[in-house]
Amino acid sequence: MREKIYQIGVAFILLLFLSVPLEIHAQSRISIDATHKYEGMEASFAKGYEPFIEKDTMILTVPFVSEVKMRGNHITVGIDFEREENSPFYYKTYQKQVKLSDTGVYLYQCRIKLRKDRINGQYPLHLWVEGKEVQEKEPVLRQEFTIYVQITDGLVQDTADGIGGLLGNDSKVEDGSKEPIDMPGQEGVLTPPLEDSAFEPSQNTEEKTSQPRLMVNRNSLQGQAIEAGSSVLWSLSIQNCSSREPVENVKVTLSSENRDLVFEKTAWYFEKVSAKNELDLSQNVTVIKKATVESVQVQFQIEYEDSKGGNYTSTETLNLWINQPENAELASFSFPEKVYSSDTELMTFQIQNTGLATIYNAKIRLEGKGLFPQAELFLGNLEGGASLPGELQVFVGTLDMDAQGVLIEGGAEKYGDTVGTLVFSYENAQGEVIEQTQEIYTCILEPEIVELNVEKEKPKTNQWWITIVAGIMMLLILVIIWLYLRMKFYQRMRQ
């Protein structure tokens, strides 16, 4: 007779058993750093990392490293659970957006609530990681990791004698002697998951019924971008992955915090879904014209029952990429119709971004026979709806010069009509280069020779005698005036 059931100690050992069972690319881009210790870890994974436990809560810390740069320097990490009958975890959404730390890792930390009546054993945690590479055309990179957690501080299910009771780790047998129970994974040693043969039931053990799982099976927008202002058909289905168990009373609810996406339908109900059958959730998705360029997270909340009436809830998270079409052009272009060789002319223009998306690394260059721009003009980034003026200095050579300005022996005529090509290039948000070209027509003329006619200065002569004569004449006029006035004075006196 078993005399008592109780719990001892707290010891969890995380086992990294299987990594990356599903890849979108041909090789792994994200992995778990097992060699270093980070904040919240008393040891690295390679040295027997154990999570911290406090009041039935497990604080899990997993460092991820990426071989490529992720857009926004962040990834999204979440956990999927296998809903076993004796699972020690409370099923919640532990999805988080993890930013790149100064140490170069994406440090994922979460608190997982544990059941008080948990049973010792090994339980898998299915971690998934999503992110977008900066230089990758495919919008989303998704990888999955399976981590095994061995619980040793809970209740022990004793099936060796066919009783099927629950014992504490330090239980007494009927004769009063203590029989220590050897639990795998103690002393901080990493042990791989037990083989299936280790769990073969005895003759008195009932056959275990696994929980049916519903997961997204078909997604036509995986890796595809939706243009703003457009409407597309989203072919989507959820499959009952169980090979034997049907599910009933299935309710699927779609939710998203983004308001730029408009869905035709957000809720579905299915009375019964047989094993391996699919639920068709296809519909048209519309993106408003002024939507922001970003990755939008969409969640499907799935509620269902098994054939025995057990209730289950699961969440499937998908990402839809919204893209804004780029629309920029070269406008207000100006260049003389006739130019003279050896002159430097000014070419003026204006860049207009008539779309809503930002364009990056805008550049202007000129190619043409006999026309030599001073340099390629770099204009940088230009936000949607903005415009930017620019000018380019162009040296005018001759038609018998190559692209480096070297004269070609036996070349064509030096002067005459020529055609130049103005190339306007920029990058979109995905790093793709877009080019626009515009031709210019001008005529190169022979250098104009201007003759300078300089008038000779006449020799200056000394005109001093003219000054003397003018002075004498002025003196005579003054004398005459004085005599006249004096005569008039005496005439009045006589009267």
Side-chain angles (χ1 to χ4, degrees), residues 161-222:
D161 55 2
I163 298 176
L166 297 178
L167 299 178
N169 288 354
D170 196 21
S171 300
K172 294 181 180 179
V173 294
E174 281 189 330
D175 59 3
S177 63
K178 291 187 177 181
E179 192 71 24
I181 298 176
D182 185 17
M183 296 301 298
Q186 290 182 349
E187 304 297 330
V189 179
L190 295 177
T191 60
L194 301 179
E195 300 293 337
D196 292 340
S197 59
F199 293 99
E200 291 182 358
S202 64
Q203 295 179 354
N204 297 329
T205 305
E206 295 183 358
E207 182 180 355
K208 181 180 178 181
T209 301
S210 60
Q211 172 201 343
R213 294 176 64 89
L214 300 182
M215 299 180 65
V216 171
N217 180 55
R218 175 167 47 91
N219 178 13
S220 64
L221 295 181
Q222 179 69 36

Short mmCIF file of all heavy atoms in Angstrom, two decimals, residues 161-222:
data_model
loop_
_atom_site.label_atom_id
_atom_site.label_comp_id
_atom_site.label_asym_id
_atom_site.label_seq_id
_atom_site.Cartn_x
_atom_site.Cartn_y
_atom_site.Cartn_z
N ASP A 161 3.84 -2.38 -11.68
CA ASP A 161 3.09 -3.47 -11.07
C ASP A 161 1.66 -3.52 -11.53
O ASP A 161 0.83 -4.24 -10.97
CB ASP A 161 3.13 -3.34 -9.53
CG ASP A 161 2.63 -1.98 -9.09
OD1 ASP A 161 2.22 -1.18 -9.96
OD2 ASP A 161 2.63 -1.72 -7.87
N GLY A 162 1.32 -2.68 -12.55
CA GLY A 162 -0.02 -2.70 -13.12
C GLY A 162 -1.03 -1.93 -12.30
O GLY A 162 -2.22 -1.93 -12.62
N ILE A 163 -0.62 -1.30 -11.18
CA ILE A 163 -1.57 -0.58 -10.34
C ILE A 163 -1.96 0.74 -10.98
O ILE A 163 -3.10 1.17 -10.95
CB ILE A 163 -0.98 -0.36 -8.93
CG1 ILE A 163 -0.73 -1.70 -8.28
CG2 ILE A 163 -1.90 0.49 -8.09
CD1 ILE A 163 -0.05 -1.61 -6.92
N GLY A 164 -0.96 1.43 -11.56
CA GLY A 164 -1.25 2.70 -12.24
C GLY A 164 -1.43 3.84 -11.26
O GLY A 164 -2.05 4.82 -11.57
N GLY A 165 -0.88 3.76 -10.06
CA GLY A 165 -1.01 4.84 -9.10
C GLY A 165 0.03 5.91 -9.32
O GLY A 165 0.89 5.81 -10.18
N LEU A 166 0.01 6.96 -8.51
CA LEU A 166 0.96 8.06 -8.57
C LEU A 166 1.79 8.06 -7.32
O LEU A 166 1.26 8.05 -6.20
CB LEU A 166 0.22 9.40 -8.70
CG LEU A 166 -0.61 9.57 -9.98
CD1 LEU A 166 -1.32 10.91 -9.95
CD2 LEU A 166 0.26 9.42 -11.20
N LEU A 167 3.12 8.05 -7.48
CA LEU A 167 4.04 8.01 -6.35
C LEU A 167 4.90 9.24 -6.33
O LEU A 167 5.28 9.76 -7.38
CB LEU A 167 4.95 6.77 -6.46
CG LEU A 167 4.26 5.40 -6.47
CD1 LEU A 167 5.31 4.33 -6.64
CD2 LEU A 167 3.45 5.19 -5.21
N GLY A 168 5.31 9.66 -5.14
CA GLY A 168 6.34 10.68 -5.04
C GLY A 168 7.68 10.05 -5.30
O GLY A 168 7.86 8.84 -5.25
N ASN A 169 8.70 10.89 -5.57
CA ASN A 169 10.02 10.38 -5.90
C ASN A 169 10.66 9.64 -4.74
O ASN A 169 11.55 8.82 -4.92
CB ASN A 169 10.94 11.53 -6.32
CG ASN A 169 10.56 12.06 -7.70
OD1 ASN A 169 9.70 11.49 -8.35
ND2 ASN A 169 11.19 13.14 -8.10
N ASP A 170 10.23 9.93 -3.51
CA ASP A 170 10.85 9.35 -2.33
C ASP A 170 9.83 8.48 -1.59
O ASP A 170 9.75 8.49 -0.37
CB ASP A 170 11.37 10.48 -1.43
CG ASP A 170 12.35 9.94 -0.40
OD1 ASP A 170 12.91 8.86 -0.63
OD2 ASP A 170 12.55 10.62 0.61
N SER A 171 9.02 7.72 -2.32
CA SER A 171 7.92 6.96 -1.71
C SER A 171 8.44 5.78 -0.91
O SER A 171 9.50 5.23 -1.18
CB SER A 171 6.97 6.46 -2.80
OG SER A 171 6.43 7.54 -3.51
N LYS A 172 7.63 5.36 0.07
CA LYS A 172 7.94 4.17 0.87
C LYS A 172 7.15 2.99 0.33
O LYS A 172 6.02 3.12 -0.10
CB LYS A 172 7.56 4.40 2.33
CG LYS A 172 8.37 5.47 3.03
CD LYS A 172 7.91 5.60 4.45
CE LYS A 172 8.70 6.68 5.18
NZ LYS A 172 8.23 6.83 6.58
N VAL A 173 7.81 1.80 0.41
CA VAL A 173 7.09 0.57 0.07
C VAL A 173 6.46 0.02 1.35
O VAL A 173 6.70 0.53 2.44
CB VAL A 173 8.06 -0.45 -0.57
CG1 VAL A 173 8.54 0.05 -1.89
CG2 VAL A 173 9.22 -0.74 0.35
N GLU A 174 5.68 -1.05 1.22
CA GLU A 174 4.89 -1.52 2.35
C GLU A 174 5.74 -1.99 3.51
O GLU A 174 5.36 -1.90 4.65
CB GLU A 174 3.96 -2.66 1.90
CG GLU A 174 2.73 -2.16 1.18
CD GLU A 174 1.74 -3.27 0.95
OE1 GLU A 174 2.17 -4.43 0.82
OE2 GLU A 174 0.56 -2.97 0.93
N ASP A 175 6.93 -2.54 3.24
CA ASP A 175 7.74 -3.07 4.33
C ASP A 175 8.50 -1.97 5.05
O ASP A 175 9.30 -2.24 5.93
CB ASP A 175 8.72 -4.13 3.81
CG ASP A 175 9.64 -3.58 2.75
OD1 ASP A 175 9.56 -2.36 2.47
OD2 ASP A 175 10.45 -4.36 2.20
N GLY A 176 8.27 -0.69 4.65
CA GLY A 176 8.88 0.43 5.35
C GLY A 176 10.21 0.85 4.80
O GLY A 176 10.75 1.86 5.23
N SER A 177 10.80 0.10 3.91
CA SER A 177 12.09 0.50 3.35
C SER A 177 11.89 1.50 2.24
O SER A 177 10.87 1.50 1.57
CB SER A 177 12.83 -0.74 2.81
OG SER A 177 12.09 -1.32 1.77
N LYS A 178 12.87 2.36 2.05
CA LYS A 178 12.81 3.37 1.00
C LYS A 178 13.49 2.84 -0.25
O LYS A 178 14.60 2.34 -0.18
CB LYS A 178 13.49 4.68 1.44
CG LYS A 178 12.72 5.41 2.54
CD LYS A 178 13.33 6.75 2.80
CE LYS A 178 12.55 7.54 3.84
NZ LYS A 178 13.13 8.86 4.10
N GLU A 179 12.81 3.00 -1.34
CA GLU A 179 13.36 2.55 -2.60
C GLU A 179 13.55 3.77 -3.51
O GLU A 179 12.58 4.31 -4.04
CB GLU A 179 12.39 1.55 -3.26
CG GLU A 179 13.01 0.80 -4.45
CD GLU A 179 14.04 -0.20 -4.00
OE1 GLU A 179 13.99 -0.65 -2.85
OE2 GLU A 179 14.93 -0.51 -4.81
N PRO A 180 14.77 4.25 -3.67
CA PRO A 180 14.95 5.44 -4.52
C PRO A 180 14.58 5.13 -5.96
O PRO A 180 14.85 4.06 -6.47
CB PRO A 180 16.45 5.74 -4.38
CG PRO A 180 17.08 4.45 -3.99
CD PRO A 180 16.04 3.71 -3.18
N ILE A 181 13.96 6.10 -6.59
CA ILE A 181 13.53 5.95 -7.98
C ILE A 181 14.52 6.69 -8.87
O ILE A 181 14.75 7.89 -8.70
CB ILE A 181 12.11 6.50 -8.19
CG1 ILE A 181 11.15 5.71 -7.32
CG2 ILE A 181 11.70 6.46 -9.64
CD1 ILE A 181 9.72 6.22 -7.37
N ASP A 182 15.10 5.98 -9.79
CA ASP A 182 16.11 6.56 -10.69
C ASP A 182 15.40 7.31 -11.81
O ASP A 182 14.76 6.70 -12.67
CB ASP A 182 16.97 5.45 -11.28
CG ASP A 182 18.10 6.00 -12.12
OD1 ASP A 182 18.38 7.20 -11.96
OD2 ASP A 182 18.68 5.23 -12.91
N MET A 183 15.50 8.66 -11.78
CA MET A 183 14.85 9.47 -12.80
C MET A 183 15.87 9.88 -13.85
O MET A 183 16.95 10.35 -13.50
CB MET A 183 14.24 10.74 -12.18
CG MET A 183 13.13 10.47 -11.20
SD MET A 183 11.78 9.56 -11.96
CE MET A 183 11.27 10.75 -13.19
N PRO A 184 15.59 9.70 -15.13
CA PRO A 184 16.54 10.10 -16.17
C PRO A 184 16.72 11.60 -16.19
O PRO A 184 15.79 12.35 -15.95
CB PRO A 184 15.88 9.60 -17.47
CG PRO A 184 14.43 9.50 -17.14
CD PRO A 184 14.36 9.14 -15.70
N GLY A 185 17.95 12.01 -16.54
CA GLY A 185 18.20 13.44 -16.69
C GLY A 185 18.63 14.14 -15.43
O GLY A 185 18.77 15.34 -15.41
N GLN A 186 18.83 13.44 -14.29
CA GLN A 186 19.30 14.10 -13.08
C GLN A 186 20.78 14.43 -13.18
O GLN A 186 21.46 14.01 -14.10
CB GLN A 186 19.03 13.20 -11.87
CG GLN A 186 17.54 13.07 -11.54
CD GLN A 186 17.30 12.22 -10.33
OE1 GLN A 186 18.21 11.56 -9.85
NE2 GLN A 186 16.08 12.22 -9.85
N GLU A 187 21.27 15.12 -12.17
CA GLU A 187 22.66 15.57 -12.11
C GLU A 187 23.03 16.50 -13.27
O GLU A 187 24.19 16.65 -13.59
CB GLU A 187 23.61 14.36 -12.12
CG GLU A 187 23.36 13.34 -11.02
CD GLU A 187 23.58 13.93 -9.66
OE1 GLU A 187 24.43 14.84 -9.56
OE2 GLU A 187 22.94 13.50 -8.70
N GLY A 188 22.06 17.13 -13.92
CA GLY A 188 22.35 18.10 -14.97
C GLY A 188 22.87 17.49 -16.24
O GLY A 188 23.48 18.15 -17.05
N VAL A 189 22.65 16.17 -16.45
CA VAL A 189 23.13 15.50 -17.66
C VAL A 189 22.07 15.57 -18.72
O VAL A 189 20.90 15.26 -18.48
CB VAL A 189 23.49 14.03 -17.36
CG1 VAL A 189 23.98 13.33 -18.62
CG2 VAL A 189 24.55 13.97 -16.27
N LEU A 190 22.43 15.98 -19.91
CA LEU A 190 21.49 16.04 -21.02
C LEU A 190 21.27 14.64 -21.56
O LEU A 190 22.22 13.98 -21.99
CB LEU A 190 22.02 16.95 -22.13
CG LEU A 190 22.17 18.42 -21.77
CD1 LEU A 190 22.77 19.16 -22.93
CD2 LEU A 190 20.82 19.01 -21.42
N THR A 191 20.03 14.16 -21.52
CA THR A 191 19.72 12.84 -22.05
C THR A 191 18.79 13.00 -23.23
O THR A 191 17.88 13.81 -23.20
CB THR A 191 19.04 11.98 -20.98
OG1 THR A 191 17.84 12.63 -20.57
CG2 THR A 191 19.95 11.77 -19.79
N PRO A 192 19.00 12.23 -24.31
CA PRO A 192 18.13 12.34 -25.47
C PRO A 192 16.75 11.80 -25.16
O PRO A 192 16.56 11.07 -24.19
CB PRO A 192 18.84 11.48 -26.53
CG PRO A 192 19.62 10.50 -25.73
CD PRO A 192 20.04 11.22 -24.48
N PRO A 193 15.75 12.17 -25.98
CA PRO A 193 14.41 11.65 -25.74
C PRO A 193 14.42 10.13 -25.81
O PRO A 193 15.12 9.52 -26.61
CB PRO A 193 13.61 12.24 -26.90
CG PRO A 193 14.39 13.42 -27.35
CD PRO A 193 15.81 13.07 -27.08
N LEU A 194 13.61 9.51 -24.95
CA LEU A 194 13.56 8.06 -24.91
C LEU A 194 12.95 7.51 -26.17
O LEU A 194 12.08 8.14 -26.79
CB LEU A 194 12.73 7.62 -23.69
CG LEU A 194 13.25 8.08 -22.32
CD1 LEU A 194 12.33 7.59 -21.24
CD2 LEU A 194 14.68 7.60 -22.11
N GLU A 195 13.42 6.34 -26.61
CA GLU A 195 12.87 5.70 -27.79
C GLU A 195 11.45 5.24 -27.50
O GLU A 195 11.01 5.10 -26.36
CB GLU A 195 13.73 4.49 -28.18
CG GLU A 195 15.17 4.84 -28.49
CD GLU A 195 15.26 5.68 -29.75
OE1 GLU A 195 14.33 5.60 -30.58
OE2 GLU A 195 16.26 6.39 -29.90
N ASP A 196 10.69 4.99 -28.58
CA ASP A 196 9.31 4.58 -28.41
C ASP A 196 9.20 3.30 -27.60
O ASP A 196 8.24 3.08 -26.87
CB ASP A 196 8.65 4.38 -29.78
CG ASP A 196 8.51 5.69 -30.51
OD1 ASP A 196 8.55 6.73 -29.82
OD2 ASP A 196 8.36 5.68 -31.75
N SER A 197 10.21 2.43 -27.71
CA SER A 197 10.16 1.16 -27.00
C SER A 197 10.17 1.34 -25.49
O SER A 197 9.72 0.49 -24.74
CB SER A 197 11.35 0.27 -27.41
OG SER A 197 12.57 0.94 -27.13
N ALA A 198 10.71 2.49 -25.01
CA ALA A 198 10.76 2.74 -23.59
C ALA A 198 9.39 3.00 -23.01
O ALA A 198 9.19 2.97 -21.81
CB ALA A 198 11.68 3.92 -23.29
N PHE A 199 8.42 3.30 -23.87
CA PHE A 199 7.09 3.61 -23.39
C PHE A 199 6.09 2.52 -23.75
O PHE A 199 4.89 2.74 -23.76
CB PHE A 199 6.60 4.95 -24.00
CG PHE A 199 7.38 6.12 -23.51
CD1 PHE A 199 8.41 6.65 -24.30
CD2 PHE A 199 7.12 6.69 -22.28
CE1 PHE A 199 9.13 7.73 -23.84
CE2 PHE A 199 7.84 7.78 -21.84
CZ PHE A 199 8.84 8.29 -22.61
N GLU A 200 6.59 1.34 -24.13
CA GLU A 200 5.67 0.26 -24.46
C GLU A 200 4.85 -0.11 -23.22
O GLU A 200 5.40 -0.40 -22.16
CB GLU A 200 6.45 -0.95 -24.95
CG GLU A 200 7.11 -0.72 -26.31
CD GLU A 200 7.82 -1.95 -26.78
OE1 GLU A 200 7.83 -2.95 -26.03
OE2 GLU A 200 8.39 -1.93 -27.88
N PRO A 201 3.54 -0.07 -23.33
CA PRO A 201 2.70 -0.34 -22.15
C PRO A 201 2.72 -1.81 -21.78
O PRO A 201 2.94 -2.68 -22.62
CB PRO A 201 1.30 0.10 -22.60
CG PRO A 201 1.32 -0.06 -24.09
CD PRO A 201 2.74 0.22 -24.51
N SER A 202 2.46 -2.07 -20.49
CA SER A 202 2.32 -3.46 -20.04
C SER A 202 0.96 -3.98 -20.46
O SER A 202 0.12 -3.26 -20.98
CB SER A 202 2.50 -3.51 -18.52
OG SER A 202 1.47 -2.78 -17.90
N GLN A 203 0.71 -5.22 -20.20
CA GLN A 203 -0.53 -5.84 -20.61
C GLN A 203 -1.73 -5.21 -19.93
O GLN A 203 -2.83 -5.21 -20.48
CB GLN A 203 -0.48 -7.34 -20.31
CG GLN A 203 0.58 -8.09 -21.11
CD GLN A 203 0.60 -9.55 -20.77
OE1 GLN A 203 -0.09 -10.01 -19.85
NE2 GLN A 203 1.39 -10.31 -21.52
N ASN A 204 -1.51 -4.63 -18.72
CA ASN A 204 -2.63 -4.06 -17.99
C ASN A 204 -2.83 -2.58 -18.28
O ASN A 204 -3.68 -1.94 -17.66
CB ASN A 204 -2.43 -4.26 -16.47
CG ASN A 204 -2.40 -5.72 -16.10
OD1 ASN A 204 -3.06 -6.54 -16.73
ND2 ASN A 204 -1.64 -6.04 -15.06
N THR A 205 -1.98 -1.98 -19.15
CA THR A 205 -2.07 -0.54 -19.44
C THR A 205 -3.03 -0.31 -20.59
O THR A 205 -2.95 -0.97 -21.62
CB THR A 205 -0.69 0.02 -19.81
OG1 THR A 205 0.20 -0.29 -18.74
CG2 THR A 205 -0.76 1.52 -20.00
N GLU A 206 -3.92 0.67 -20.44
CA GLU A 206 -4.86 0.98 -21.50
C GLU A 206 -4.15 1.69 -22.65
O GLU A 206 -3.19 2.41 -22.46
CB GLU A 206 -5.98 1.88 -20.96
CG GLU A 206 -6.85 1.20 -19.91
CD GLU A 206 -7.97 2.10 -19.46
OE1 GLU A 206 -8.01 3.25 -19.95
OE2 GLU A 206 -8.78 1.68 -18.62
N GLU A 207 -4.67 1.48 -23.84
CA GLU A 207 -4.10 2.12 -25.03
C GLU A 207 -4.33 3.63 -24.96
O GLU A 207 -5.44 4.10 -24.71
CB GLU A 207 -4.75 1.56 -26.29
CG GLU A 207 -4.17 2.13 -27.57
CD GLU A 207 -4.83 1.56 -28.79
OE1 GLU A 207 -5.69 0.65 -28.63
OE2 GLU A 207 -4.53 2.01 -29.89
N LYS A 208 -3.27 4.38 -25.20
CA LYS A 208 -3.34 5.85 -25.10
C LYS A 208 -3.97 6.43 -26.36
O LYS A 208 -3.62 6.05 -27.47
CB LYS A 208 -1.95 6.43 -24.90
CG LYS A 208 -1.94 7.95 -24.78
CD LYS A 208 -0.53 8.44 -24.59
CE LYS A 208 -0.51 9.95 -24.52
NZ LYS A 208 0.86 10.45 -24.35
N THR A 209 -4.89 7.37 -26.19
CA THR A 209 -5.53 8.05 -27.31
C THR A 209 -4.92 9.44 -27.45
O THR A 209 -4.98 10.25 -26.52
CB THR A 209 -7.05 8.18 -27.07
OG1 THR A 209 -7.59 6.87 -26.91
CG2 THR A 209 -7.70 8.85 -28.26
N SER A 210 -4.31 9.72 -28.58
CA SER A 210 -3.66 11.02 -28.80
C SER A 210 -4.67 12.07 -29.21
O SER A 210 -5.71 11.76 -29.80
CB SER A 210 -2.58 10.89 -29.87
OG SER A 210 -3.15 10.46 -31.09
N GLN A 211 -4.34 13.29 -28.89
CA GLN A 211 -5.23 14.41 -29.23
C GLN A 211 -5.16 14.73 -30.72
O GLN A 211 -4.08 14.84 -31.28
CB GLN A 211 -4.81 15.65 -28.44
CG GLN A 211 -5.54 16.91 -28.86
CD GLN A 211 -4.79 18.15 -28.46
OE1 GLN A 211 -3.91 18.08 -27.62
NE2 GLN A 211 -5.12 19.27 -29.06
N PRO A 212 -6.28 14.88 -31.38
CA PRO A 212 -6.24 15.31 -32.78
C PRO A 212 -5.79 16.76 -32.89
O PRO A 212 -6.18 17.60 -32.08
CB PRO A 212 -7.69 15.14 -33.25
CG PRO A 212 -8.51 15.22 -32.00
CD PRO A 212 -7.65 14.63 -30.91
N ARG A 213 -4.97 17.04 -33.89
CA ARG A 213 -4.44 18.39 -34.08
C ARG A 213 -4.95 18.98 -35.39
O ARG A 213 -4.99 18.29 -36.41
CB ARG A 213 -2.91 18.40 -34.08
CG ARG A 213 -2.29 18.02 -32.75
CD ARG A 213 -0.78 17.95 -32.87
NE ARG A 213 -0.21 19.24 -33.18
CZ ARG A 213 0.16 20.13 -32.26
NH1 ARG A 213 0.00 19.87 -30.99
NH2 ARG A 213 0.69 21.28 -32.62
N LEU A 214 -5.31 20.27 -35.36
CA LEU A 214 -5.74 20.99 -36.55
C LEU A 214 -4.68 22.03 -36.88
O LEU A 214 -4.36 22.88 -36.05
CB LEU A 214 -7.10 21.67 -36.32
CG LEU A 214 -8.27 20.75 -35.99
CD1 LEU A 214 -9.55 21.54 -35.83
CD2 LEU A 214 -8.45 19.70 -37.07
N MET A 215 -4.13 21.97 -38.10
CA MET A 215 -3.05 22.86 -38.51
C MET A 215 -3.30 23.36 -39.93
O MET A 215 -3.99 22.69 -40.73
CB MET A 215 -1.70 22.15 -38.43
CG MET A 215 -1.33 21.66 -37.04
SD MET A 215 0.27 20.83 -37.01
CE MET A 215 1.34 22.20 -37.44
N VAL A 216 -2.72 24.52 -40.24
CA VAL A 216 -2.81 25.07 -41.59
C VAL A 216 -2.08 24.15 -42.55
O VAL A 216 -0.91 23.80 -42.33
CB VAL A 216 -2.23 26.49 -41.65
CG1 VAL A 216 -2.14 26.97 -43.09
CG2 VAL A 216 -3.09 27.45 -40.84
N ASN A 217 -2.74 23.75 -43.61
CA ASN A 217 -2.17 22.82 -44.58
C ASN A 217 -1.85 23.49 -45.91
O ASN A 217 -0.85 23.20 -46.54
CB ASN A 217 -3.12 21.65 -44.80
CG ASN A 217 -2.57 20.64 -45.79
OD1 ASN A 217 -1.46 20.14 -45.60
ND2 ASN A 217 -3.31 20.36 -46.85
N ARG A 218 -2.71 24.40 -46.34
CA ARG A 218 -2.54 25.05 -47.65
C ARG A 218 -2.65 26.56 -47.47
O ARG A 218 -3.59 27.06 -46.86
CB ARG A 218 -3.59 24.55 -48.63
CG ARG A 218 -3.62 25.23 -49.97
CD ARG A 218 -4.47 24.44 -50.96
NE ARG A 218 -5.75 24.05 -50.38
CZ ARG A 218 -6.87 24.78 -50.47
NH1 ARG A 218 -6.83 25.96 -51.07
NH2 ARG A 218 -7.99 24.35 -49.94
N ASN A 219 -1.66 27.31 -47.99
CA ASN A 219 -1.63 28.76 -47.88
C ASN A 219 -1.03 29.33 -49.17
O ASN A 219 0.18 29.31 -49.37
CB ASN A 219 -0.81 29.19 -46.66
CG ASN A 219 -0.69 30.70 -46.53
OD1 ASN A 219 -1.40 31.45 -47.21
ND2 ASN A 219 0.20 31.16 -45.67
N SER A 220 -1.88 29.83 -50.05
CA SER A 220 -1.41 30.31 -51.36
C SER A 220 -0.62 31.60 -51.28
O SER A 220 0.09 31.94 -52.22
CB SER A 220 -2.61 30.51 -52.30
OG SER A 220 -3.47 31.54 -51.80
N LEU A 221 -0.71 32.33 -50.17
CA LEU A 221 0.01 33.60 -50.03
C LEU A 221 1.32 33.44 -49.27
O LEU A 221 1.96 34.44 -48.94
CB LEU A 221 -0.88 34.64 -49.33
CG LEU A 221 -2.13 35.07 -50.10
CD1 LEU A 221 -2.89 36.12 -49.31
CD2 LEU A 221 -1.76 35.60 -51.48
N GLN A 222 1.71 32.21 -48.97
CA GLN A 222 3.00 31.99 -48.33
C GLN A 222 4.12 32.41 -49.29
O GLN A 222 4.25 31.88 -50.39
CB GLN A 222 3.16 30.52 -47.96
CG GLN A 222 4.48 30.16 -47.31
CD GLN A 222 4.61 30.77 -45.92
OE1 GLN A 222 3.65 30.86 -45.19
NE2 GLN A 222 5.81 31.19 -45.57
#
